[in-house]
Amino acid sequence: AQSVTQLDSQVPVFEEAPVELRCNYSSSVSVYLFWYVQYPNQGLQLLLKYLSGSTLVESINGFEAEFNKSQTSFHLRKPSVHISDTAEYFCAVITYNNNDMRFGAGTRLTVKP
Amino acid sequence: DTGVSQNPRHKITKRGQNVTFRCDPISEHNRLYWYRQTLGQGPEFLTYFQNEAQLEKSRLLSDRFSAERPKGSFSTLEIQRTEQGDSAMYLCASSLFSSNEQFFGPGTRLTVL
């Protein structure tokens, strides 16, 4: 079965600094990859996804992630973070042939002024 | 449509009691998923429906758990004889058959005393 590892449980950064949240996955078959964001006391919101095509995907609020098949990674990046980006971020993977979405343990991003 | 809704948002119960949660998916979505999320972890897949058919169940779904989606619209998740280990956030998500993008509800937080 597929699995996801998020290498950092907490990432503190200062406002306007760049950030990278790391995600590695394991699967014997082709996958779809997702990043979800969860603000306090709210459900998960889809941030961006890789299904096929260009390996670099972007969100509307400045985040981007690159699918690297050889390194089995899907790291999330933002060149300049805002206080409002403070949240929990989850990487998730689903394989082509089932609907069992597997999530990483999450990375808590804290943006400080 | 306002998205996926879940009721109640919070539930406190005593050990041994039965509880039932409801999920209303986005109206045109024919797939519905249940996940469990414990503190500091990502969501864990429990089960999923395509229309009214329950197509997959995780090994996490013990005999005390049962889920239904009788008319292919809303779904209920019942936990019988609750245990303290059942305390978690229970998340519901829905998607179109043709899409792997899942839309999540706000969750039901269960506390078993």
Side-chain angles (χ1 to χ4, degrees):
Chain A
Q2 70 275 25
S3 65
V4 177
T5 302
Q6 290 185 245
L7 298 163
D8 307 293
S9 60
Q10 296 188 58
V11 173
V13 293
F14 287 105
E15 194 173 18
E16 297 183 6
V19 71
E20 179 181 78
L21 307 183
R22 296 180 292 171
C23 171
N24 286 89
Y25 70 92
S26 170
S27 175
S28 58
V29 298
S30 297
V31 297
Y32 300 120
L33 292 156
F34 305 82
W35 275 100
Y36 283 86
V37 58
Q38 187 175 32
Y39 298 102
N41 300 315
Q42 294 187 28
L44 280 75
Q45 300 173 31
L46 181 68
L47 192 58
L48 45 75
K49 61 186 176 184
Y50 170 78
L51 302 181
S52 65
S54 172
T55 57
L56 184 65
V57 291
E58 299 176 350
S59 73
I60 58 172
N61 56 354
F63 282 94
E64 65 178 30
E66 186 160 19
F67 170 54
N68 188 319
K69 189 174 182 180
S70 62
Q71 297 187 6
T72 61
S73 68
F74 191 55
H75 302 330
L76 182 70
R77 301 184 183 95
K78 189 170 185 179
S80 176
V81 294
H82 302 289
I83 298 286
S84 59
D85 292 324
T86 295
E88 189 91 20
Y89 291 80
F90 293 95
C91 182
V93 61
I94 194 167
T95 65
Y96 286 178
N97 57 359
N98 72 41
N99 291 278
D100 178 355
M101 182 175 279
R102 298 294 176 95
F103 286 82
T107 297
R108 180 171 297 279
L109 174 65
T110 303
V111 182
K112 300 179 286 187
Chain B
D1 194 295
T2 56
V4 179
S5 62
Q6 292 186 246
N7 288 288
R9 295 290 307 275
H10 303 273
K11 178 70 177 178
I12 300 174
T13 192
K14 293 183 179 179
R15 190 175 52 186
Q17 297 295 304
N18 299 344
V19 294
T20 300
F21 310 140
R22 176 177 169 128
C23 170
D24 287 88
I26 293 172
S27 58
E28 64 268 26
H29 285 185
N30 40 24
R31 287 185 171 173
L32 187 147
Y33 309 80
W34 284 100
Y35 293 85
R36 181 174 66 190
Q37 184 180 19
T38 53
L39 202 61
Q41 297 298 316
E44 297 172 294
F45 171 81
L46 292 178
T47 188
Y48 112 91
F49 292 83
Q50 184 162 300
N51 299 315
E52 66 276 9
Q54 188 173 18
L55 296 186
E56 252 178 270
K57 291 198 296 185
S58 162
R59 282 173 291 180
L60 294 173
L61 213 64
S62 78
D63 291 345
R64 296 184 298 105
F65 287 68
S66 63
E68 295 182 342
R69 195 182 183 199
K71 297 181 180 179
S73 56
F74 73 91
S75 175
T76 57
L77 177 68
E78 180 183 16
I79 309 174
Q80 296 181 326
R81 304 180 303 281
T82 52
E83 302 173 356
Q84 287 184 326
D86 297 331
S87 295
M89 176 78 85
Y90 290 84
L91 296 168
C92 176
S94 70
S95 73
L96 289 168
F97 172 77
S98 56
S99 170
N100 282 294
E101 181 174 344
Q102 297 182 23
F103 294 80
F104 282 80
T108 295
R109 183 169 294 284
L110 173 66
T111 302
V112 182
L113 302 176

